[in-house]
Amino acid sequence: MGSNHLLDTASLDQKEILALFARADLHHENNRTAERKSASLRGRTLINLFFESSTRTRSSFEIAGKRLGADVINVSPSGSSVSKGETLLDTARNLERMATDAVVLRHERSGSAAFLAARLRASVVNAGDGSHEHPTQALLDAYTLRRVWGDLSGRTVVFVGDILHSRVARSNAHLLPKLGARVRFSGPKTLMPPPRFFEELGAAWSYNLDEALESADAIVALRIQMERFGGGRLSTAREYSRSFGINPARLSLAKPDAVVLHPGPINRGVELDTALADSSRSLVLDQVEAGVSVRMAVLERAVLGGLPS
Ligand code: NCD
């Protein structure tokens, strides 16, 4: 069994990232043909262990695994013994004993993917652990931008919204600079981490969105993560939309050909204007398509201990 975990983007180097993208390119072309299946993971078993809701990420990992010929099993708390009080580790150890090659974990606790990785022989792929990281989302974001720009160096990507709770922002903050891009952050004071966070990353930040958008090449609107905090931090969705929602007027403050991304699910009309989300400036569905190709490469790396040549 392989043990090439993918727990975060902080520990990936540029060479590994580019190797994943080169492999994803092959899958991306192949995914657009009628005969999409390949056999690199035939006979292997993958478990999607999702303790939090997910539409895109879970189905994307499932499709990615199946396209590579693997058997893919989905386990979620309702309908499993997690609802009877079984621990994460017991659940994972039992599933691993069914000859599982990789566990794809989504869990509300930061550090849960590393916790399992230290205790399982199967490879662990982090599909989002609390507010910590969501490495495949950052990889697919970077991959999507690369397909538009060719190269990320010298580009500025601005993340807007709930930076404090966003594992997507954190994973991108580590990943994009490794590809030569600059990252910048903006959001309401109550949803931004302390300045030290940005200083350690060497990243720019501002509570003033208009200022943050100046000369941006891409804007990533983030969902307001209502489930990760109690009330009191935000007065109303309308107020948020007025101050931090991305709409055509805000987009015009960025570079003339700037693009808009969102990891989904979108709160339409809150963090992203609905017409803009559906416009040609939006890469939202390109991100979803890229997600399958990137996750195919990630699963191959996790199970085979390296990428096929
Ligand atoms: C993100 C997540 O779950 O971290 N969604 C996703 O995986 N596409 C972002 C979010 O929930 O807002």
Side-chain angles (χ1 to χ4, degrees), residues 175-250:
L175 182 77
L176 294 176
K178 293 179 187 181
L179 300 169
R182 279 185 293 269
V183 286
R184 219 183 265 163
F185 299 92
S186 186
K189 219 173 197 161
T190 48
L191 296 178
M192 291 274 273
R196 182 169 34 87
F197 171 85
F198 302 110
E199 284 154 19
E200 280 168 10
L201 285 169
W205 56 279
S206 175
Y207 300 131
N208 180 330
L209 177 59
D210 293 357
E211 188 182 292
L213 292 180
E214 202 181 309
S215 67
D217 293 285
I219 306 169
V220 183
L222 297 169
R223 187 176 64 87
I224 299 300
Q225 310 252 312
M226 298 294 190
E227 72 277 26
R228 295 195 200 287
F229 52 89
R233 283 180 192 264
L234 266 184
S235 43
T236 61
R238 187 190 286 179
E239 185 189 312
Y240 179 83
S241 162
R242 202 165 37 230
S243 323
F244 288 95
I246 302 301
N247 52 35
R250 287 249 157 73

Side-chain angles (χ1 to χ4, degrees), residues 27-304:
H27 293 311
H28 209 72
E29 296 319 312
N30 198 40
N31 283 338
R32 289 179 169 180
T33 65
E35 284 283 320
R36 297 186 191 96
K37 280 237 179 183
S38 79
S40 63
L41 297 189
R42 194 168 62 202
R44 306 303 188 116
T45 302
L46 310 174
I47 298 208
N48 273 335
L49 185 52
F50 274 58
F51 288 79
E52 282 186 334
S53 317
S54 170
T55 303
R56 272 152 296 271
T57 307
R58 198 184 58 74
S59 17
S60 179
F61 270 111
E62 182 173 354
I63 289 169
K66 287 181 171 166
R67 254 178 220 172
L68 295 167
D71 295 313
V72 185
I73 310 306
N74 292 303
V75 178
S76 55
S78 60
S80 76
S81 288
V82 172
S83 64
K84 300 179 185 169
E86 189 172 42
T87 66
L88 168 64
L89 185 56
D90 279 338
T91 302
R93 278 199 173 132
N94 279 267
L95 295 169
E96 180 183 45
R97 222 26 205 272
M98 303 176 196
T100 296
D101 296 280
V103 175
V104 179
L105 177 73
R106 168 165 289 195
H107 198 279
E108 66 275 10
R109 226 178 317 127
S110 298
S112 51
F115 171 85
L116 273 197
R119 290 162 180 82
L120 296 185
R121 282 175 50 227
S123 293
V124 175
V125 176
N126 182 5
D129 61 330
S131 312
H132 173 232
E133 279 228 29
H134 189 352
T136 59
Q137 180 68 45
L139 284 166
L140 76 87
D141 293 340
Y143 183 79
T144 302
L145 290 172
R146 221 164 149 264
R147 288 190 67 88
V148 178
W149 297 333
D151 184 3
L152 268 63
S153 47
R155 301 287 188 162
T156 299
V157 184
V158 183
F159 291 82
V160 181
D162 188 356
I163 310 296
L164 182 62
H165 300 97
S166 177
R167 52 198 179 199
V168 176
R170 232 163 239 96
S171 281
N172 270 295
H174 292 295
L175 182 77
L176 294 176
K178 293 179 187 181
L179 300 169
R182 279 185 293 269
V183 286
R184 219 183 265 163
F185 299 92
S186 186
K189 219 173 197 161
T190 48
L191 296 178
M192 291 274 273
R196 182 169 34 87
F197 171 85
F198 302 110
E199 284 154 19
E200 280 168 10
L201 285 169
W205 56 279
S206 175
Y207 300 131
N208 180 330
L209 177 59
D210 293 357
E211 188 182 292
L213 292 180
E214 202 181 309
S215 67
D217 293 285
I219 306 169
V220 183
L222 297 169
R223 187 176 64 87
I224 299 300
Q225 310 252 312
M226 298 294 190
E227 72 277 26
R228 295 195 200 287
F229 52 89
R233 283 180 192 264
L234 266 184
S235 43
T236 61
R238 187 190 286 179
E239 185 189 312
Y240 179 83
S241 162
R242 202 165 37 230
S243 323
F244 288 95
I246 302 301
N247 52 35
R250 287 249 157 73
L251 181 59
S252 71
L253 301 173
K255 290 223 182 114
D257 54 355
V259 289
V260 178
L261 295 85
H262 191 301
I266 300 175
N267 295 308
R268 283 179 177 262
V270 181
E271 65 260 2
L272 187 55
D273 174 80
T274 202
L276 182 54
D278 300 329
S279 77
S280 60
R281 304 288 289 278
S282 161
L283 299 180
V284 171
L285 294 176
D286 302 271
Q287 291 173 271
V288 176
E289 185 186 1
V292 176
S293 313
V294 167
R295 289 181 174 119
M296 287 171 81
V298 163
L299 288 174
E300 289 178 316
R301 176 182 179 272
V303 173
L304 304 174

Side-chain angles (χ1 to χ4, degrees), residues 3-15:
S3 60
N4 235 327
H5 308 297
L6 178 65
L7 305 180
D8 51 51
T9 56
S11 42
L12 283 178
D13 64 31
Q14 192 196 55
K15 200 165 151 244

